[in-house]
Amino acid sequence: MIRLTSVYKEYPRSGTALRDVTLHVNKGELVFLTGHSGAGKSTILRLIQMADLPSAGEVRVSGFSSKLMRRRDIPQLRRKLGVVFQDFRLLRDRTAEENVAFALEVTGTKRSAITPRVNRLLTQVGLAHKARACPDELSGGERQRVAIARALANEPLVLLADEPTGNLDEWAAKGVFELFREINSMGMTILMATHDLTLVRAHPEYRVVELAQGSVVYDSAAASVEAGRG
Amino acid sequence: MPYALREALAAFRRTPLLAALSVIAIAFALFVIGLFGLTAFNIRRAIEKVEEKVEIVAYLADDATPAQVELAQQEVRALPQVASLRHVTKTEALATAMAEMEEFKEVFSDLDANPLPASFEVSLKAGSRSPEAVERVAKRIQAYPFVEDVRYGRDWLNTIYTIRRIAAGVAMVIGGAFALVAAIVIATAVRITVFARREEIGIMRLVGATDGFVQSPFLLEGLMSGLLGGVLAAALTWGTYRVLGSTMFQVEWLPSEWIVLTVIAGTAFGLLSSLVAVRRHLEQV
Ligand SMILES: Nc1ncnc2c1ncn2[C@@H]1O[C@H](COP(=O)(O)OP(=O)(O)OP(=O)(O)O)[C@@H](O)[C@H]1O
Ligand SMILES: [Mg+2]
């Protein structure tokens, strides 16, 4: 599904953000991407969206390769990725349902198909009763649920989340993560960058990849493989 | 309502002053060109009318022999530029003079000898009435030894052509200046809208909207400004034509294709300006 092979990323001023990162994420997995601030978590997520290209190595996402990517292919890739952020990135002057509908509208979904789909998505994230509320009238957890509904709107293959619980209190964070688990249990591949170690430790059943200074220093999948070999 | 149209109209509402300014700037650019068109068109009509009458008059010496005159007539008629040649004899010239100038009738009839010379009145074919062509034929006729003098409207024809060239130059400069202003205003409007909608544009890209889709409201806005500007320019030109026509001159209205062309030019200009601006500013979001 997602394959990073010997990826390097250099930034002109701040130097090397990623150093020889090789990482495969399989279909249906939920993976925690952890590490200190500046370790390169967001950089990996940006490379997967091809918002940026690697300085060396290759990023492959479901048939798209960073080596062959042309500017006009990017929208097609983005429709296969759902992305949520720490700061939600909702449009303030639109209601919850309009925010979700926006993702469908701007990718050319038929008008008649939009309303039922938005209703279904809001129900899925547990916000059907707040469909007409604007972001300012919603709690942080509720806003993130709207953002998740929007990310799922175009039926993506992968959900990328960059610190999705970073702005939430413990309870809201729990709730949002439960939603992720639920979505994952229905087959969605999820890659979630987080430095919420409490959350990560509470769920040892999921794979953990840890970055330090741009390199993968721990991968629970590889560790268990090695442990099995040993 | 389709997304692009809704957003384009929203942009008009968000920055009405800029929207109005771009429409007006485009309108003035085209109005200046339209005024020139009106002038040039009418000058051309005037020239055409005059040119139909353009004649070269060659006065013949009294001692020219009939044989010489006959030969010259045949040679001049054979020139490719010449449409017709009329030989006016001394007697005919006098008769015409007496008919046209009643008050001098007495003077003419009292004379012993006819003082008026015989002449050739040469008219030229439609394609050969430029000042240069007229001059070439005139020179050719002048070459006959019995031709005393050749008259043709060289000077004022040249003047008209020069005036038209100057008018075209002035219209280009002023029209170009307004067009530049229009392009700058449109670019500013695009920049403001891109800035006002930067979050929205960011999300559009995030969820996979194509570049064309992101650009479409801006292009539509430019197109509508251009269309309105073109129509306004045509209306202004028509107003000027009415005012001129009712006060001073006999002016003719432009052919309808020119008006359609004005509106199309405005629309194309608006579209192109916003395309250039949107390409540049969307890169920066
Ligand atoms: N657009 C950029 N231009 C220059 N340097 C950048 C850019 N984005 C990231 N970096 C650098 O790359 C390194 C990794 O940044 P990244 O955002 O991936 O870290 P992170 O693991 O997401 O950190 P955090 O937990 O604080 O979000 C940092 O040193 C950062 O300064
Ligand atoms: Mg980050």
Side-chain angles (χ1 to χ4, degrees):
Chain A
M1 180 81 13
I2 298 173
R3 291 177 163 267
L4 280 76
T5 313
S6 310
V7 166
Y8 286 77
K9 181 66 194 175
E10 317 262 353
Y11 283 111
R13 272 182 300 283
S14 47
T16 308
L18 294 179
R19 219 182 294 270
D20 195 16
V21 171
T22 295
L23 173 66
H24 298 175
V25 176
N26 297 314
K27 192 165 161 41
E29 270 191 301
L30 190 161
V31 180
F32 290 121
L33 196 56
T34 66
H36 287 292
S37 181
K41 305 182 291 291
S42 300
T43 303
I44 286 184
L45 296 185
R46 282 170 52 76
L47 289 181
I48 293 170
Q49 298 167 57
M50 310 229 183
D52 232 329
L53 292 175
S55 314
E58 186 185 17
V59 179
R60 286 181 148 276
V61 183
S62 146
F64 292 90
S65 160
S66 61
K67 288 188 169 164
L68 306 172
M69 207 66 185
R70 289 162 306 175
R71 191 190 157 90
R72 68 165 179 279
D73 298 330
I74 288 179
Q76 293 313 317
L77 168 67
R78 299 280 168 85
R79 290 176 197 195
K80 299 195 166 158
L81 304 173
V83 190
V84 295
F85 299 93
Q86 181 171 8
D87 57 359
F88 320 127
R89 303 207 188 165
L90 299 175
L91 296 171
R92 293 172 58 117
D93 55 350
R94 290 174 202 248
T95 64
E97 62 182 0
E98 284 166 351
N99 265 284
V100 178
F102 186 73
L104 293 164
E105 203 178 351
V106 303
T107 48
T109 308
K110 265 211 313 274
R111 204 131 261 290
S112 58
I114 292 180
T115 312
R117 184 145 181 76
V118 169
N119 290 339
R120 192 144 34 85
L121 287 159
L122 285 177
T123 306
Q124 187 182 358
V125 300
L127 271 186
H129 60 295
K130 295 276 174 84
R132 299 261 151 77
C134 282
D136 286 345
E137 299 158 352
L138 296 172
S139 74
E142 289 168 337
R143 286 183 213 179
Q144 195 59 295
R145 283 164 191 273
V146 176
I148 292 167
R150 181 179 67 192
L152 297 175
N154 279 307
E155 300 182 319
L157 299 169
V158 183
L159 188 61
L160 302 175
D162 196 351
E163 312 275 5
T165 58
N167 268 345
L168 305 179
D169 64 41
E170 210 182 320
W171 290 104
K174 257 200 159 86
V176 164
F177 186 69
E178 280 310 313
L179 182 56
F180 275 23
R181 290 180 56 147
E182 221 176 283
I183 295 165
N184 172 247
S185 71
M186 296 185 314
M188 178 68 66
T189 310
I190 300 179
L191 182 56
M192 171 175 163
T194 181
H195 45 212
D196 185 348
L197 288 183
T198 324
L199 185 77
V200 174
R201 289 197 187 113
H203 296 282
E205 68 271 33
Y206 296 120
R207 180 175 164 196
V208 181
V209 174
E210 190 184 336
L211 290 173
Q213 283 154 25
S215 300
V216 176
V217 293
Y218 173 76
D219 185 339
S220 64
S224 61
V225 168
E226 269 160 34
R229 275 195 205 127
Chain B
M1 207 191 301
Y3 173 82
L5 182 61
R6 203 174 60 214
E7 286 304 319
L9 292 177
F12 273 124
R13 243 176 292 124
R14 195 179 297 127
T15 52
L17 200 69
L18 269 175
L21 219 59
S22 31
V23 170
I24 289 169
I26 292 176
F28 270 105
L30 288 167
F31 176 47
V32 171
I33 293 165
L35 275 188
F36 165 70
L38 196 63
T39 318
F41 181 70
N42 277 285
I43 288 181
R44 201 176 79 185
R45 294 304 301 248
I47 291 176
E48 272 169 13
K49 275 187 197 147
V50 174
E51 276 178 344
E52 281 164 19
K53 291 187 207 142
V54 162
E55 287 185 336
I56 300 170
V57 181
Y59 296 104
L60 311 180
D62 285 351
D63 57 5
T65 67
Q68 280 176 320
V69 172
E70 184 54 37
L71 182 67
Q73 265 191 64
Q74 281 171 14
E75 282 177 359
V76 172
R77 280 210 180 94
L79 292 176
Q81 298 97 325
V82 171
S84 67
L85 182 150
R86 197 163 80 88
H87 179 204
V88 182
T89 61
K90 287 175 72 76
T91 328
E92 282 167 350
L94 185 63
T96 312
M98 284 169 69
E100 281 181 2
M101 297 183 273
E102 287 282 342
E103 57 277 30
F104 294 110
K105 203 166 176 173
E106 307 302 317
V107 183
F108 284 125
S109 24
D110 287 351
L111 291 170
D112 303 332
N114 178 357
L116 296 177
S119 62
F120 288 165
E121 288 178 7
V122 181
S123 60
L124 300 179
K125 287 181 185 156
S128 309
R129 290 174 187 154
S130 70
E132 297 77 24
V134 173
E135 191 167 348
R136 221 173 304 125
V137 177
K139 285 248 165 72
R140 175 79 177 68
I141 298 173
Q142 179 97 70
Y144 292 107
F146 56 86
V147 170
E148 294 205 307
D149 194 10
V150 176
R151 300 262 168 93
Y152 56 99
R154 176 180 48 187
D155 294 343
W156 66 265
L157 216 65
N158 270 336
T159 310
I160 284 193
Y161 277 108
T162 309
I163 287 174
R164 196 165 80 165
R165 262 198 298 275
I166 291 173
V170 171
M172 281 319 204
V173 170
I174 299 178
F178 274 114
L180 190 68
V181 170
I184 291 171
V185 173
I186 286 179
T188 308
V190 166
R191 203 170 81 203
I192 288 177
T193 309
V194 166
F195 185 76
R197 296 180 54 223
R198 63 194 184 287
E199 291 189 341
E200 212 178 307
I201 291 168
I203 290 166
M204 284 165 85
R205 291 199 167 139
L206 182 72
V207 301
T210 59
D211 283 349
F213 189 91
V214 176
Q215 291 171 4
S216 58
F218 297 94
L219 301 188
L220 194 62
E221 190 189 348
L223 186 141
M224 290 195 292
S225 305
L227 183 68
L228 283 177
V231 170
L232 192 59
L236 285 172
T237 311
W238 193 74
T240 310
Y241 152 75
R242 294 290 297 195
V243 171
L244 281 186
S246 66
T247 53
M248 310 193 255
F249 317 104
Q250 268 272 294
V251 274
E252 279 188 60
W253 182 231
L254 299 171
S256 55
E257 303 89 72
W258 290 31
I259 304 304
V260 173
L261 214 68
T262 303
V263 176
I264 290 177
T267 310
F269 182 84
L271 186 64
L272 213 71
S273 305
S274 52
L275 185 68
V276 171
V278 83
R279 286 259 165 97
R280 209 177 66 217
H281 292 304
L282 279 181
E283 288 299 317
Q284 296 160 6
V285 174

